[in-house]
Amino acid sequence: MPTVFFTSQLARFIDAPTVVAPGDTLDAVLGNVFSDHPQLKGYILDDQGAIRRHVAVFIDGMQVRDRTNLSVALNDKSEIHIFQALSGG
Amino acid sequence: MASKLYVGTRKGLFILVRKNGGWDIDETKFLGEPVSAVYSDGQTTLAALDLGHFGPKLWRREGDGEWQEMRVPTFPKKPDDADDDPHPWSVGRIWNINPAGKDGAFWAGTMPGGLFRSDDNGATWTLNDALWMMPDRRKWMGVAGGEQPGLSSVLVDPKNADKLTIGVSCAGIWQTEDGGVSWTNIGDGFDNEYMPPDQRHDPIAQDIHQIAHCKAHPEVIWCQHHSRIYRSTDYGMTWSPLESAKPSGFGFAVVAHPQDPDVAWFVPAIKDEQRFPVDAKVVVSRTRDGGKTFDVLDRGLPARHAYDLVYRHALDVDATGMQLAFGSTSGGLWISADGGEIWTAPDCRLPPVACVRFELA
């Protein structure tokens, strides 16, 4: 099953452990993660289910560019890394 | 008099207490995070965060207990036929939190202009559909610093909690008499100078920086408009310009005396692209005669080389009408115990201040 890693920055606000979750698309895997950690969803996705503008998602080293269509195919060993995008001051 | 003051800043929440004749920071929370709105009545405290990466958040504390994260207001799924909506269906910022006139009930004003209600002490929130689904909402314009309209002010009539008057930057004033089932755009007498000539007086084209009402006489409402200061004595239906405001009629914040309908305070700045204090001197302007004349209050405030701007929610008055506080974009914080005659600054250098709220008694 795919593995999802969250930025350690999230730990300032919410418990965001590395999790293994079933699913063959990004959408499905995140859906399964968020069903176990519902509060986490709003940190990563906006009200319409799009990846937040200043959150970066990588699948096996490649950044997800389409923030609204999350039907990207995954394989059983996919690693999903969720970071904060560079911004701030 | 209130003895606790909540200051939301670009880098955290600062809670000050009054003791030994002065004010001092007693607690800090959310250090490093932007705090966009705060409310406290002593029992329930709500603080909204505007996390740059991870979106708006809402935290609550009951009494002196632990802070807990609440569910944030969210918009429903955007319908397919709303593709032409110029505004996002996603909460960008919780801009203010206001008691709704009933125990455990609140209204929250947000960007991009959604009004949300909670009836469970801030734990969950419901969008006011009637306001959001109005076709006219698509005419609303964005507010400075962002492209989204901002619901800047929510006034709940103390005598009738179903009567709400809201101010929107930039979409004028909207009123409901039935608790939010239906809304009417009101406000005759405004003149928005930066609009095309045929729209300058249109109620929906008004840049309402903030409105405040006298709680004992809620028919009296003050408006810090982009163009100047206005006052209404008929619940916002008609407005009169107050041309004698000095040193300028431009600013963002206004507070009204809770008992005296002739008294209000403003923090003026140079109009309008420059936006710093006139002559780089921080002052508060106050009227005590319904806006006929204004006093310029400066005792204890920076008199030179001061570039402090005061945002909409960064000025407050407590329930006595005597104690005031305001914070600035330069991190200044000043408090008065005598209606603004004399100001003192607590011993601190704060991050830029977004909101200042006394604890309600």
Side-chain angles (χ1 to χ4, degrees), chain A residues 33-61:
Chain A
V33 172
F34 296 146
S35 69
D36 289 340
H37 304 273
Q39 197 85 10
L40 194 51
K41 181 178 178 181
Y43 282 80
I44 309 303
L45 306 180
D46 69 17
D47 299 7
Q48 299 303 310
I51 298 169
R52 287 196 177 280
R53 189 173 162 206
H54 296 295
V55 168
V57 177
F58 290 80
I59 299 173
D60 298 325

Side-chain angles (χ1 to χ4, degrees), chain A residues 12 42-43 46-48 85 89, chain B residues 11 33 53 69 76 78 89:
Chain A
R12 287 188 292 150
Y43 282 80
D46 69 17
D47 299 7
Q48 299 303 310
Chain B
K11 299 286 182 182
E33 313 306 336
H53 297 97
E69 188 174 356
K78 185 177 179 179
W89 286 48

Side-chain angles (χ1 to χ4, degrees), chain A residues 7 9-10 12-14 39 42-44 46-49 52-55 83-89, chain B residues 10-11 31 33 49 51-57 59 69-71 73-78 89-91:
Chain A
T7 170
Q9 294 298 322
L10 276 170
R12 287 188 292 150
F13 312 105
I14 191 168
Q39 197 85 10
Y43 282 80
I44 309 303
D46 69 17
D47 299 7
Q48 299 303 310
R52 287 196 177 280
R53 189 173 162 206
H54 296 295
V55 168
F83 297 107
Q84 74 275 32
L86 185 62
S87 64
Chain B
R10 178 76 178 77
K11 299 286 182 182
L31 283 181
E33 313 306 336
L49 309 186
L51 301 183
H53 297 97
F54 304 116
K57 305 293 172 226
W59 290 72
E69 188 174 356
M70 301 290 110
R71 291 177 62 183
T74 55
F75 286 99
K77 194 75 180 170
K78 185 177 179 179
W89 286 48
S90 192
V91 173

Side-chain angles (χ1 to χ4, degrees), chain B residues 241-316:
Chain B
L242 306 181
E243 302 289 6
S244 62
K246 59 183 181 180
S248 84
F250 180 83
F252 291 96
V254 50
V255 291
H257 194 288
Q259 289 92 35
D260 188 337
D262 287 335
V263 179
W265 295 263
F266 306 81
V267 189
I270 296 176
K271 173 187 183 179
D272 62 22
E273 280 77 15
Q274 290 180 304
R275 303 184 178 192
F276 60 81
V278 177
D279 298 327
K281 171 179 161 64
V282 176
V283 302
V284 170
S285 62
R286 176 188 62 191
T287 177
R288 292 187 288 185
D289 55 10
K292 295 184 189 72
T293 62
F294 285 77
D295 310 314
V296 176
L297 309 171
D298 61 5
R299 289 180 64 187
L301 298 175
R304 58 197 292 264
H305 302 310
Y307 295 90
D308 301 74
L309 187 65
V310 176
Y311 283 159
R312 290 166 176 78
H313 309 110
L315 168 68
D316 198 20

